[in-house]
Amino acid sequence: MRKLAGDFEKPIAEIEDQLEQLSALPPTEEVTEKLEGLKKKLRKVCQEVYSHLKPWERYLVARHPERPYTLDFILLLFEDFVEMHGDRKFSDDHSIVGGLACYKGEPIVVVGHEKGRNTREKIYRNFGMAQPEGYRKALRIMRLAEKFHRPVITFIDTSGAYPGIGAEERGQAEAIAFNLREMSRLQTPIIVVVTGEGGSGGALAIGVGDRILMLEFAVYSVISPEGCAAILWKNQEKKEEAAENLKVSAHDLKRFNLIDEIVPEPLGGAHRDHTEAARILDEHLYRNLQELKEVPINDLLKQRYDKFRRMGVFEKEIR
Amino acid sequence: MEWFKKKRKPREPIGERRLKVPDGLWLKCENCQAIVYKEEILRNSKVCPKCNYHFRISAQDRLRALFDDGKYEIIDDNIRSCDPLMFKDTKKYKERLKESEEKTGFSEAVVTAVGEVGKIPVIISAMEYNFMGGSMGSVVGEKITRAIELALERRMPLIVVCSSGGARMQEGVFSLMQMAKISSALARLDEAGIPYISILADPTTGGVAASFGMLGDLNISEPKALVGFAGPRVIEQTIHQELPPGFQRAEFLLEHGMIDMIVERKELKSVLVNCLRFMTPNQ
Ligand SMILES: [Zn+2]
């Protein structure tokens, strides 16, 4: 049985269970007919549930343990992936993966957070929470893309930069700041895809680019709802209220012009169908890449600057 | 020159959090608990004469202390935060803004001014910690970006005095993106060969440290200032371990190679003048 993202998925899971049991039976005419009926019902219920997700429920979907991760997308979208390791300064951070790959015959560079699937992998990947060496590795790989005039694709999926003693000793703040500055002037096209959880500065550290795409049920936020609730409400239990206030959904961010495109997900979320999720993303990714390749590099850098320059809302006081 | 037209006296800040002044002439140092004559602390750049504790000071006191003869022109003072997310926690964001404005006399958590430091024309943006913890929303991001762009346009050195808990939660991803916006502008300043000095005052954490805070040609910290990415409490809760003494303090950062120097407040101006002379064309 599939793990539930949350209680809101119960009506979906019930039908999925019935479907599973039914399809184990010999395919008589009666069974086939019932199967068809159930599938129709499943689509309807999925549609219904997923079109009314509350902000906190979106977090649960974005953090679903079966959500496609960076390595899944790399396998499904690219060929000949050659993974690169290490920041050449301190160590190899396993919470960020990256390297060279081929996308529809074209060499590209890919970098992304990797959360890890089971307990052993999660520990190995530090739950996708990078330390300075992770961000420095990411930039080293992106610099290679610049050197060989290859586009960069980054996948964002992290709850945030790792809060630890070593991370602070080695300059977590500096590593993130440095990436922001250097990505803003990296002389090659950059496409950023928020695939799961866009957790604050740890996400943005590989998130400065020419196009920012975001999966339909991904979230992007300045702070986790739990963290926000703890600080502003002095009560972690207020995370649902915090999530609501923070406006973390792809639709909110598109409305605010903070992202460029929403990438639809398969019915019932990307965790239900990795292949279909990758297929839809493929369409968006490829089109954007072709568009960016046409832009002369100086125009591209100017547009990248202007894109972030415009972000922010304020009132002008009339005196 | 447009910014000279907008002459306006900055309003006096009403309260200061860490330097509590009881009625009368004496006050108690929060660090060493000594009772000190108030005049003595004020004369001493708001540094405790007993333990050298650097109290947080207002943006206005910063500007006065750094610019020659305490003279400067405030610029970009006409933009205000609005509430794009319609954020409400235990209080409405709009109310918090209003309270901060009344408490500090400033309209936002940063003040930018133009003047001279050691006769060198300089732009200084000083953050105001008492305004919502010095947090960075759209206005702080915009004002610092404008300061960078002005520095670029006039080829003037830029100094930012940081004091902030990080990005402002009440403006969500708008706040987060100010980090990218400012860092992009700093890339241009860097390419143009214009000096940028980051002064890290207590505290500088989160998205402010992880953008313009750590990107100075020189990163200079005040003694014992707390500087880091994650807050100490968050780290403690994550690793279930007590933090070593002095963790994330300026001395710790110096030891780990993250800042160039620790400078006492009363020495700051003369150090800045020396550095600026090195970084600007011969007069
Ligand atoms: Zn003292």
Side-chain angles (χ1 to χ4, degrees):
Chain A
M1 210 186 116
R2 187 188 302 284
K3 286 176 195 143
L4 294 188
D7 283 348
F8 65 92
E9 274 203 317
K10 267 186 186 157
I12 299 172
E14 271 167 30
I15 304 171
E16 281 178 334
D17 279 356
Q18 288 171 23
L19 259 172
E20 204 179 318
Q21 283 169 19
L22 210 58
S23 40
L25 297 177
T28 62
E29 203 171 303
E30 199 198 344
V31 168
T32 316
E33 204 173 291
K34 270 199 176 151
L35 268 174
E36 281 312 305
L38 269 180
K39 278 181 187 161
K40 217 179 253 173
K41 196 173 158 196
L42 179 66
R43 272 196 295 275
K44 218 182 123 200
V45 173
C46 264
Q47 182 76 260
E48 177 62 27
V49 168
Y50 269 80
S51 55
H52 293 97
L53 286 184
K54 296 195 183 90
W56 173 248
E57 292 168 345
R58 286 176 182 272
Y59 259 93
L60 298 176
V61 174
R63 291 173 182 170
H64 193 286
E66 283 158 27
R67 192 153 176 98
Y69 294 148
T70 294
L71 285 173
D72 300 310
F73 281 119
I74 289 176
L75 272 174
L76 289 164
L77 290 167
F78 311 137
E79 286 164 346
D80 304 330
F81 176 53
V82 179
E83 189 175 351
M84 292 167 61
H85 293 276
D87 65 345
R88 299 289 191 275
K89 291 179 169 78
F90 180 73
S91 77
D92 184 35
D93 189 332
H94 305 141
S95 59
I96 287 189
V97 295
L100 323 171
C102 219
Y103 182 37
K104 294 187 197 296
E106 190 194 334
I108 55 127
V109 152
V110 57
V111 174
H113 303 99
E114 178 60 44
K115 285 183 168 176
R117 192 68 66 193
N118 53 42
T119 308
R120 194 182 55 83
E121 273 182 27
K122 281 193 173 86
I123 292 166
Y124 180 72
R125 301 287 178 194
N126 200 29
F127 299 83
M129 292 187 284
Q131 307 202 55
E133 45 277 16
Y135 301 117
R136 288 172 187 143
K137 168 168 84 171
L139 186 65
R140 185 175 74 83
I141 298 171
M142 291 189 269
R143 286 245 195 270
L144 212 63
E146 183 179 46
K147 178 170 176 180
F148 297 107
H149 312 287
R150 305 302 187 195
V152 174
I153 297 167
T154 74
F155 294 118
I156 290 182
D157 188 17
T158 181
S159 56
Y162 184 66
I165 293 177
E168 295 292 321
E169 284 175 339
R170 299 190 293 279
Q172 189 74 291
E174 191 274 345
I176 294 170
F178 194 74
N179 274 24
L180 301 181
R181 190 180 76 186
E182 297 311 309
M183 283 184 88
S184 80
R185 57 176 164 188
L186 199 79
Q187 302 211 16
T188 197
I190 303 173
I191 300 181
V192 175
V193 189
V194 186
T195 59
E197 218 180 337
S200 191
L204 188 63
I206 58 167
V208 178
D210 303 298
R211 294 286 155 84
I212 304 169
L213 318 184
M214 187 165 164
L215 263 61
E216 189 180 356
F217 302 118
V219 288
Y220 203 171
S221 181
V222 66
I223 186 169
S224 72
E226 293 94 329
C228 180
I231 298 170
L232 291 180
W233 279 265
K234 315 253 183 289
N235 177 5
Q236 282 221 12
E237 295 306 308
K238 296 283 185 184
K239 57 190 189 246
E240 291 172 40
E241 228 174 306
E244 225 145 278
N245 272 280
L246 284 165
K247 307 284 191 295
V248 296
S249 76
H251 292 96
D252 285 323
L253 299 186
K254 178 78 182 87
R255 175 163 65 91
F256 293 142
N257 278 322
L258 295 170
I259 60 165
D260 297 294
E261 261 176 45
I262 300 172
V263 180
E265 290 189 27
L267 198 57
H271 56 285
R272 289 206 149 66
D273 193 342
H274 290 191
T275 312
E276 179 62 5
R279 192 195 60 76
I280 304 171
L281 173 58
D282 185 22
E283 286 173 18
H284 289 254
L285 206 52
Y286 191 70
R287 175 170 41 76
N288 278 289
L289 195 60
Q290 298 315 305
E291 282 170 21
L292 291 177
K293 273 167 59 185
E294 298 303 312
V295 186
I297 191 68
N298 285 337
D299 296 349
L300 195 73
L301 291 176
K302 191 185 173 303
Q303 286 166 19
R304 193 183 300 163
Y305 184 85
D306 292 342
K307 170 189 194 60
F308 287 93
R309 183 68 188 86
R310 279 192 299 268
M311 292 181 184
V313 275
F314 44 83
E315 289 162 358
K316 217 171 177 166
E317 198 178 304
I318 299 155
R319 291 230 176 93
Chain B
M1 285 193 279
E2 189 203 355
W3 31 272
F4 278 122
K5 285 186 211 147
K6 294 183 193 161
K7 229 176 221 182
R8 196 165 74 106
K9 273 229 164 111
R11 285 155 291 189
E12 287 289 335
I14 296 159
E16 211 124 77
R17 216 190 53 156
R18 304 247 333 231
L19 189 62
K20 291 207 177 82
V21 185
D23 296 335
L25 301 168
W26 300 88
L27 56 87
K28 193 171 157 189
C29 169
E30 276 190 21
N31 188 49
C32 70
Q33 315 293 318
I35 308 288
V36 193
Y37 191 46
K38 186 179 150 191
E39 268 301 309
E40 201 181 345
I41 278 199
L42 295 181
R43 260 203 319 271
N44 198 30
S45 321
K46 292 195 182 165
V47 174
C48 173
K50 298 275 187 294
C51 72
N52 202 31
Y53 182 74
H54 283 55
F55 291 94
R56 284 175 195 157
I57 63 172
S58 73
Q60 193 175 20
D61 284 345
R62 281 285 171 201
L63 298 175
R64 272 192 202 140
L66 294 178
F67 281 116
D68 296 350
D69 308 319
K71 282 200 315 210
Y72 53 89
E73 302 289 338
I74 289 183
I75 60 164
D76 280 329
D77 202 26
N78 61 340
I79 55 172
R80 298 288 173 116
S81 292
C82 42
D83 182 13
L85 311 189
M86 301 201 278
F87 200 102
K88 182 173 173 285
D89 46 270
T90 52
K91 232 180 239 170
K92 283 184 179 163
Y93 176 36
K94 284 263 186 192
E95 280 169 34
R96 285 191 192 274
L97 285 169
K98 213 175 135 209
E99 282 175 12
S100 275
E101 186 165 350
E102 280 162 8
K103 185 172 88 175
T104 62
F106 294 111
S107 62
E108 250 303 333
V110 70
V111 184
T112 302
V114 179
E116 289 184 344
V117 175
K119 298 199 172 65
I120 301 167
V122 167
I123 302 163
I124 302 180
S125 291
M127 299 191 81
E128 174 56 53
Y129 189 79
N130 279 322
F131 196 103
M132 291 189 73
S135 60
M136 170 166 65
S138 298
V139 170
V140 170
E142 180 69 20
K143 285 175 87 166
I144 291 181
T145 307
R146 286 186 188 184
I148 298 165
E149 288 174 341
L150 186 68
L152 208 54
E153 189 190 312
R154 300 183 193 279
R155 299 200 64 86
M156 279 162 78
L158 172 69
I159 297 168
V160 178
V161 186
C162 306
S163 183
S164 167
R168 187 174 294 170
M169 290 173 278
Q170 288 88 344
E171 290 187 32
V173 180
F174 283 110
S175 301
L176 183 68
M177 292 303 163
Q178 303 311 307
M179 295 166 65
K181 175 163 125 184
I182 293 170
S183 303
S184 303
L186 284 175
R188 291 190 165 185
L189 201 64
D190 179 46
E191 255 149 55
I194 295 165
Y196 166 52
I197 299 175
S198 168
I199 313 282
L200 304 156
D202 184 65
T204 301
T205 57
V208 167
S211 59
F212 55 96
M214 293 308 291
L215 288 175
D217 296 320
L218 293 172
N219 296 333
I220 300 174
S221 184
E222 287 200 330
K224 295 198 177 71
L226 181 84
V227 180
F229 181 64
R233 248 175 305 162
V234 176
I235 298 173
E236 240 165 12
Q237 281 163 12
T238 307
I239 62 172
H240 308 291
Q241 211 179 303
E242 224 173 283
L243 299 173
F247 180 65
Q248 290 183 314
R249 295 288 163 185
E251 296 70 19
F252 169 94
L253 269 90
L254 185 71
E255 186 65 30
H256 287 93
M258 292 301 142
I259 56 175
D260 291 281
M261 57 192 117
I262 296 170
V263 178
E264 297 208 0
R265 194 172 287 161
K266 52 181 180 288
E267 308 290 334
L268 187 56
K269 173 155 180 169
S270 64
V271 170
L272 282 175
V273 171
N274 270 338
C275 296
L276 288 170
R277 280 197 189 126
F278 172 85
M279 295 169 145
T280 48
N282 298 338
Q283 310 289 311

